[in-house]
Amino acid sequence: AEEGQEAADVSLRESQAAAARSVAEAKMAAAEAERLQEQERQLADVLHRLRDEIRQEEAAARERLLEMRLLAAKEAGDAKATAEQEAGETRAWLAVEMAEAEGRKVRL
């Protein structure tokens, strides 16, 4: 009977040790899960901030592009006006030259 009791005690201790190991493993797994959840939350925050920064940069780039287009259009308009003025002056000069070549006096 003592041997049976001893075997039962050994079995009980082994079961308790296995249960303690299982509890310890479960606690470690829970701690790892919490750590991973926190890491996931942090990564989601970083991703959100990066997306915001990208949106801001895109908006700023669109604004700069619009400003450059407006400036280019203004410069093109200025260049056209200058070219038209120069063409008018050239036509006037040619008319004077032609008139003088024909011997007419021209007043400007």
Side-chain angles (χ1 to χ4, degrees):
E2 272 185 41
E3 283 180 18
Q5 183 61 37
E6 236 179 80
D9 288 345
V10 168
S11 178
L12 177 63
R13 283 193 298 274
E14 287 174 354
S15 293
Q16 288 172 337
R21 280 193 302 275
S22 293
V23 167
E25 289 172 0
K27 285 181 180 179
M28 286 176 21
E32 179 67 8
E34 284 182 35
R35 186 188 69 76
L36 290 174
Q37 285 176 341
E38 176 62 19
Q39 188 177 25
E40 181 181 14
R41 186 193 63 73
Q42 290 173 354
L43 290 173
D45 288 347
V46 168
L47 180 60
H48 182 70
R49 281 194 308 274
L50 288 174
R51 284 182 178 157
D52 284 347
E53 287 178 21
I54 289 169
R55 278 190 217 102
Q56 291 172 0
E57 287 295 322
E58 287 174 342
R62 282 192 297 274
E63 188 175 326
R64 284 190 304 273
L65 180 59
L66 178 60
E67 289 172 356
M68 290 182 347
R69 284 181 178 166
L70 291 173
L71 180 61
K74 181 187 178 307
E75 288 175 354
D78 291 349
K80 181 180 177 190
T82 300
E84 288 172 350
Q85 180 181 356
E86 289 174 358
E89 290 170 1
T90 301
R91 282 191 296 273
W93 177 79
L94 285 174
V96 168
E97 289 292 317
M98 289 174 61
E100 288 178 350
E102 293 174 357
R104 291 184 275 157
K105 300 238 178 191
V106 178
R107 284 187 158 177
L108 295 178

